[in-house]
Amino acid sequence: MNTNLTPFSALTPDIILNALDSIGLHSDGRLLALNSYENRVYQVGMADASFIVTKFYRPERWTTAAILEEHAFIQDLFDAEIPVVPAIPFGENQTLIHADGFRFSVFPRQGGRVPELDGRDKLEWMGRFIARIHAVGALKPFKERPTLDIAGFGDNPRAFLLANNFIPADLIEAYRSVSEHALDGVRCCFERAGKVKNIRLHGDCYPGNILWTDDGPHFVDFDDSRMGPAIQDLWMLLSGDRADMTVQLNHLLSGYRTFYDFDTRELHLIEALRTLRLIHYSAWIARRWDDPAFPMAFPWFDTPRYWQDRIIELREQIALMNEGPLELV
């Protein structure tokens, strides 16, 4: 497996097309890179004028067993008639194929548009959709994929950022202090919520990972799927001020409760999970900085302004975590 600091440097068009050819998918040479930083995803034209989508997984991010567990979860959802896009099996029912040191999968091309969740009907529809996923996700746990927790999304990313000279010297103490207090606030939120149930989740449920058609929404990327509280797949669909988010949450849960129960104690976790995501996101960029795609995509990351904004952001999160949870009506 390719283990250098630029893990996709050896992934040439010839390797991609030869890999597909090896499983009987013969391309006409049309190759379009799709928007993905963690992996490399391409729309490929086939000789019969159709299209497929292929994903080449970032080396060493997930074990083979963890990727196959993701594929099995998506297939479980598909079998339950939930609109998701499972990997296409080849050979002896293999959904993950090895070629030239890379692992890749193939998916049918699925159209749609990124939704604007701007009304009650769409939010209730999304709530029903996510609840159906959670009803299947709760049937059994992941064994190979991790659980969303404070250590993995907060403590460890913070330690990485502080230890690797990404934060400007004149801001590092401010970041150290505010991130410490923010994680203290996260722990308090989790304590207020108590022992909530962890289930299999989509894990990265924001509008960019949703495509909407006339038939409704579907997800196209379960790469961050893991164990965690149900609210993780709901809070990223909320936006605006507290009043706006309250209305949106009530609409989501109105649809959600049609198919799955919701533990209201998880409302204490919304701002805590947002705080963890903010810290984890900065560390995610930092860990990938040697991949040439990242400095090109995030040129502002190593500027003082970026870290000044993160410090302000975390201070705001500390205040928000001290407020009561959003209210249900």
Side-chain angles (χ1 to χ4, degrees):
M1 184 177 290
N2 189 349
T3 59
N4 63 28
L5 294 179
T6 54
F8 292 110
S9 59
L11 186 61
T12 63
D14 282 345
I15 285 180
I16 296 167
L17 298 180
N18 287 340
L20 293 172
D21 192 67
S22 72
I23 55 173
L25 294 176
H26 306 300
S27 171
D28 62 6
R30 290 175 293 169
L31 189 67
L32 175 65
L34 302 180
N35 186 28
S36 177
Y37 300 115
E38 190 65 7
N39 304 298
R40 295 295 184 265
V41 183
Y42 303 90
Q43 176 181 281
V44 185
M46 295 286 100
D48 63 1
S50 65
F51 290 92
I52 56 92
V53 171
T54 184
K55 176 192 287 188
F56 283 74
Y57 293 87
R58 178 175 291 271
E60 299 188 342
R61 179 173 186 239
W62 293 117
T63 65
T64 292
I67 296 173
L68 291 175
E69 194 170 49
E70 171 205 338
H71 289 183
F73 180 37
I74 299 171
Q75 188 63 50
D76 287 346
L77 298 173
F78 185 79
D79 292 343
E81 299 183 347
I82 297 170
V84 294
V85 184
I88 300 170
F90 292 89
E92 297 179 358
N93 206 34
Q94 297 180 68
T95 57
L96 186 65
I97 302 102
H98 296 253
D100 290 305
F102 291 97
R103 296 166 298 173
F104 73 98
S105 296
V106 177
F107 302 84
R109 186 178 68 162
Q110 185 73 39
R113 60 190 180 278
V114 176
E116 293 183 12
L117 301 175
D118 52 1
R120 178 177 190 141
D121 289 346
K122 283 186 177 179
L123 287 166
E124 289 186 351
W125 200 337
M126 278 301 304
R128 293 191 297 271
F129 176 42
I130 293 171
R132 293 175 65 201
I133 291 174
H134 288 178
V136 174
L139 294 177
K140 61 184 178 182
F142 281 135
K143 295 180 179 179
E144 302 293 337
R145 301 180 77 83
T147 297
L148 195 168
D149 59 20
I150 299 172
F153 267 63
D155 295 330
N156 296 341
R158 173 180 180 267
F160 182 85
L161 291 169
L162 291 172
N164 285 278
N165 300 316
F166 287 100
I167 306 168
D170 60 332
L171 295 174
I172 193 166
E173 287 307 316
Y175 186 86
R176 187 191 309 275
S177 176
V178 74
S179 58
E180 179 181 9
H181 284 101
L183 288 176
D184 287 342
V186 169
R187 279 181 262 273
C188 287
C189 289
F190 272 78
E191 289 172 4
R192 288 195 290 270
K195 188 174 178 58
V196 299
K197 183 178 181 179
N198 288 323
I199 61 175
R200 291 179 295 173
L201 303 168
H202 179 276
D204 193 21
C205 185
Y206 76 104
N209 274 336
I210 302 164
L211 290 179
W212 200 288
T213 69
D214 292 341
D215 294 325
H218 61 272
F219 283 118
V220 292
D221 188 359
F222 279 74
D223 197 62
D224 285 302
S225 187
R226 64 192 65 232
M227 301 292 292
I231 194 66
Q232 170 65 12
D233 280 349
L234 296 169
W235 75 261
M236 275 185 273
L237 301 176
L238 308 178
S239 61
D241 60 21
R242 183 181 177 88
D244 292 332
M245 290 192 293
T246 298
V247 172
Q248 294 160 13
L249 178 64
N250 277 276
H251 292 335
L252 277 171
L253 289 179
S254 176
Y256 187 92
R257 285 168 158 165
T258 305
F259 288 97
Y260 195 65
D261 290 334
F262 178 75
D263 184 347
T264 57
R265 295 178 303 162
E266 294 188 24
L267 297 177
H268 289 286
L269 300 179
I270 290 176
E271 295 304 332
L273 291 168
R274 192 191 312 275
T275 302
L276 291 177
R277 184 173 176 85
L278 293 172
I279 296 171
H280 182 268
Y281 182 76
S282 292
W284 172 67
I285 298 174
R287 292 180 192 276
R288 302 289 184 255
W289 200 242
D290 288 316
D291 182 336
F294 277 70
M296 291 176 60
F298 309 104
W300 30 259
F301 175 71
D302 60 350
T303 65
R305 177 60 184 272
Y306 174 82
W307 295 102
Q308 290 166 353
D309 289 346
R310 300 294 74 75
I311 290 167
I312 293 170
E313 199 170 50
L314 289 176
R315 286 173 179 160
E316 292 171 348
Q317 285 304 118
I318 291 170
L320 290 169
M321 286 187 288
N322 284 328
E323 296 183 5
L326 299 180
E327 297 178 358
L328 300 183
V329 296

